Amino acid sequence: DIQMTQSPSTLSASVGDRVTITCRASQSISSWLAWYQQKPGKAPKLLIYKASSLESGVPSRFSGSGSGTEFTLTISSLQPDDFATYYCQQYNSYSPELTFGGGTKVEIK
Amino acid sequence: EVQLVESGGGLVQPGGSLRLSCAASGFTFSSYDMHWVRQATGKGLEWVSAIGTAGDPYYPGSVKGRFTISRENAKNSLYLQMNSLRAGDTAVYYCARGYGGIPGYFDYWGQGTLVTVSS
């Protein structure tokens, strides 16, 4: 199984900050990575797919980068609506099984 | 508008069974892979099963042999039959639409249904 490790697990930041979340895969997954945002009591929402493609309707302050085993999600200027938990998810086509990272909670500083 | 609405959750004893349903609307259901993903309270997301457009099922080792995913395209419905339930299966179960093939990623999610396994 491919393991996904996110860091940090918790991040404290202020409105307007630039925020970066890292996701590392235990083996190469090319660019088969998605990012989701989840707010308490709600379903996850797709932000990024194929490592760097922005889902329709997602604000441009969100961006993704990376390939192989290391990936990042960046929020260029944190907004009040962005305080949430973020998950990465690998979908390497060599295996039907997919896995999520453990999540990064972005809190108000 | 794409909508996914789960139902069938509830309280069940260890060793018991439960069948979840997901009603889909707003898209051509038969053309998409579908998934179940669960989340225990305060924990992360865990993929539970997938079914391809041809009805081919996929499971992780944690539920293989206990859970069965199925779909009924004529009713735009997805199902998850869960047997031999354990306390560790307690979670909110989400139905999600897959994109990009199997395994793929999830572009739409339902609101979830809570399954509690307890005596």
Side-chain angles (χ1 to χ4, degrees):
Chain A
D1 292 1
I2 299 175
Q3 307 302 317
M4 304 301 293
T5 304
Q6 277 184 244
S7 60
S9 55
T10 306
L11 186 159
S12 295
S14 301
V15 172
D17 284 354
R18 181 182 181 87
V19 166
T20 299
I21 298 168
T22 298
C23 181
R24 288 186 174 88
S26 59
Q27 66 187 71
S28 178
I29 57 170
S30 185
S31 295
W32 304 118
L33 187 98
W35 289 97
Y36 302 89
Q37 176 194 66
Q38 187 180 32
K39 296 181 179 178
K42 300 294 186 182
K45 173 189 173 184
L46 176 66
L47 300 175
I48 301 281
Y49 61 94
K50 209 173 179 184
S52 60
S53 296
L54 192 68
E55 174 69 352
S56 176
V58 174
S60 59
R61 62 181 179 272
F62 290 92
S63 64
S65 65
S67 66
T69 61
E70 188 150 339
F71 302 85
T72 58
L73 173 71
T74 299
I75 309 172
S76 60
S77 177
L78 197 66
Q79 297 302 301
D81 190 49
D82 302 337
F83 291 97
T85 300
Y86 294 84
Y87 293 93
C88 62
Q89 176 234 322
Q90 69 80 17
Y91 53 105
N92 188 322
S93 59
Y94 289 106
S95 166
E97 296 198 22
L98 56 91
T99 45
F100 292 91
T104 296
K105 185 176 182 180
V106 177
E107 297 181 326
I108 300 173
K109 191 172 184 179
Chain B
E1 179 194 4
V2 172
Q3 284 199 315
L4 299 169
V5 180
E6 302 93 336
S7 60
L11 175 64
V12 61
Q13 291 189 339
S17 298
L18 208 57
R19 189 195 197 206
L20 305 183
S21 300
C22 172
S25 60
F27 65 103
T28 305
F29 179 73
S30 60
S31 297
Y32 287 85
D33 305 323
M34 297 296 296
H35 299 252
W36 290 98
V37 177
R38 69 185 179 186
Q39 185 173 37
T41 301
K43 302 297 184 182
L45 300 166
E46 180 187 15
W47 171 69
V48 172
S49 62
I51 188 164
T53 56
D56 41 318
Y58 303 89
Y59 309 95
S62 58
V63 306
K64 200 167 190 177
R66 300 190 300 123
F67 290 10
T68 301
I69 189 171
S70 61
R71 64 191 301 160
E72 193 167 355
N73 291 337
K75 293 187 175 182
N76 291 335
S77 293
L78 176 72
Y79 307 101
L80 185 67
Q81 177 67 43
M82 303 186 294
N83 299 330
S84 303
L85 284 162
R86 309 164 178 166
D89 296 317
T90 294
V92 173
Y93 284 71
Y94 294 102
C95 162
R97 190 176 84 167
Y99 202 88
I102 298 287
Y105 57 92
F106 314 115
D107 59 352
Y108 287 94
W109 300 64
Q111 85 290 349
T113 188
L114 177 63
V115 172
T116 303
V117 183
S118 175
S119 54

